[in-house]
């Protein structure tokens, strides 16, 4: 039996539903329900308008570059993408008219995805789409959307363009709208995070998506755990072994905290989900986590490859301490022969009065 999705067998469709269940943290018993709900939800092919502001298009590239069966293929079959600057054939006024037509004909039904930051200075003149500023487009298109999704850290919190806020006033979509939006941060956003959120929206509705967001507006399924808590190098952190010299083979897999790792402050499931079709993630590739899913990225987390002298790690007796202090504490206690696991727990806040670091969400 053919599935409703072009070029996809029923078997592959059910496989896809299984991956959706896994993506959303649901048990396999939900697969038939997901299949039925997805078929029902997509009968009318929900329309999507995907626009870009100050963007490198990296989030789109990440999305397109995903695994087999390709989520973009599926989403393009499931959804009706009416406007996307990188994938649509039309250009100029013809392309822009697709936005206006969709807004008119699918009022309150279309999903509005925005990628890239919004420069608010100089009446938004630093980024225009057609002859209209991106800021004005966002205000106009979001108004009649069923849901607004900010994809990438630029759209979520300002991201890299936001580091230059003094000049362009670059910020996230929510700041411009003044109302909460669903945020899928990451530089770029992981394709599963985008597909999973869109599919959840189709399956369970907008209220379910909104109810599952953390305090920064991120879906908890994907941003509910600290990188640090699932890090394969965590035992080295707890043992007080830190990479100081990338050229020393003995330090090859030590903890990257002193090289600027933001894993203790960053909420995302990268260590479990991984990137490049499940191959690796930054820390596996010997690069410190740069905290790209956090509101602090980029400006407050730079320089990215330097340890964080000022950004504290909450936890030791409730006081904020610097990365230097953590290293020293670990060193001193190691020398004193006190249980390292205990020290690590204290240093990361597990036994401190505040629990895990609070930079992400509770
Ligand atoms: S979040 Fe990163 S990858 Fe995505 S558009 Fe912004 S700079 Fe590019
Ligand atoms: S500081 Fe970074 S490298 Fe070290 S354990 Fe935590 S997440 Fe892993």
């Amino acid at each position: 039996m053919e599935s409703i999705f072009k070029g996809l067998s029923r078997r592959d469709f059910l496989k896809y539903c299984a991956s959706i269940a896994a993506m959303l943290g649901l048990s396999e018993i939900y697969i038939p329900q997901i299949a039925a709900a997805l078929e029902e939800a997509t009968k009318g092919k929900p329309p999507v308008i995907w626009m870009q502001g100050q963007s490198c298009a990296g989030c789109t590239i990440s999305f397109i570059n995903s695994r087999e069966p390709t989520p973009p293929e599926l989403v393009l079959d499931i959804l009706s993408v009416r406007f996307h600057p990188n994938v649509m054939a039309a250009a100029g006024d013809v392309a822009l008219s697709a936005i206006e037509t969709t807004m008119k004909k699918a009022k309150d039904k279309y999903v509005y995805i925005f990628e890239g930051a919004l420069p608010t200075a100089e009446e938004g003149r630093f980024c225009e789409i057609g002859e209209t500023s991106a800021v004005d487009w966002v205000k106009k298109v979001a108004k009649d959307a069923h849901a607004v999704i900010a994809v990438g850290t630029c759209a979520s919190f300002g991201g890299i363009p936001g580091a230059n806020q003094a000049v362009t006033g670059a910020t996230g979509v929510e700041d411009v709208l003044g109302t909460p939006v669903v945020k899928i941060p990451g530089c770029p956003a992981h394709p599963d995070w985008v597909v999973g959120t869109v599919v959840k929206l189709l399956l369970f509705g907008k209220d379910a998506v909104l109810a599952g967001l953390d305090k920064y507006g991120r879906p908890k399924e994907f941003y509910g755990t600290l990188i640090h808590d699932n890090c394969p190098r965590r035992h080295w952190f707890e043992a007080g072994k830190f990479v100081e010299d990338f050229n020393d083979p003995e330090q090859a897999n030590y903890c990257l905290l002193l090289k600027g790792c933001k894993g203790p402050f960053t909420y995302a499931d990268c260590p479990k989900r991984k990137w490049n079709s499940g191959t690796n993630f930054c820390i596996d590739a010997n690069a410190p986590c740069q905290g790209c899913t956090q509101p602090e990225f980029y400006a407050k987390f730079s320089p990215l490859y330097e340890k964080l002298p000022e950004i504290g790690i909450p936890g030791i007796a409730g006081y904020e301490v610097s990365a230097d202090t953590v290293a020293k504490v670990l060193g001193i206690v190691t020398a004193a022969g006190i249980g390292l696991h205990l020290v690590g727990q204290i240093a990361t806040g597990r036994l401190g009065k505040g629990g895990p670091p609070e930079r992400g969400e509770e």
Side-chain angles (χ1 to χ4, degrees), residues 209-227:
V209 173
L210 293 177
L213 302 180
D214 71 7
K215 68 180 178 187
Y216 292 126
R218 307 172 295 193
K220 286 181 189 164
E221 296 92 332
F222 309 120
Y223 302 92
T225 51
L226 269 180
I227 298 282

Side-chain angles (χ1 to χ4, degrees), residues 11-52:
R11 191 192 171 95
D12 284 344
F13 173 60
L14 290 175
K15 233 165 85 184
Y16 178 66
C17 292
S19 74
I20 294 287
M23 223 183 254
L24 297 172
L26 297 171
S27 142
E28 288 191 356
I29 59 169
Y30 287 100
I31 293 172
Q33 275 165 270
I34 289 175
L38 209 49
E39 285 174 323
E40 187 56 36
T42 56
K43 270 184 187 156
K45 282 199 154 200
V48 171
I49 298 173
W50 183 315
M51 293 177 79
Q52 293 166 336

Side-chain angles (χ1 to χ4, degrees), residues 10 37 74 106 120 146 160 177 202 212 221 243 263 308 339 349 361:
R10 186 75 192 167
L74 288 159
T120 54
H146 172 63
I160 290 174
L177 292 178
L202 294 178
E221 296 92 332
V243 174
L308 305 169
E361 72 107 13

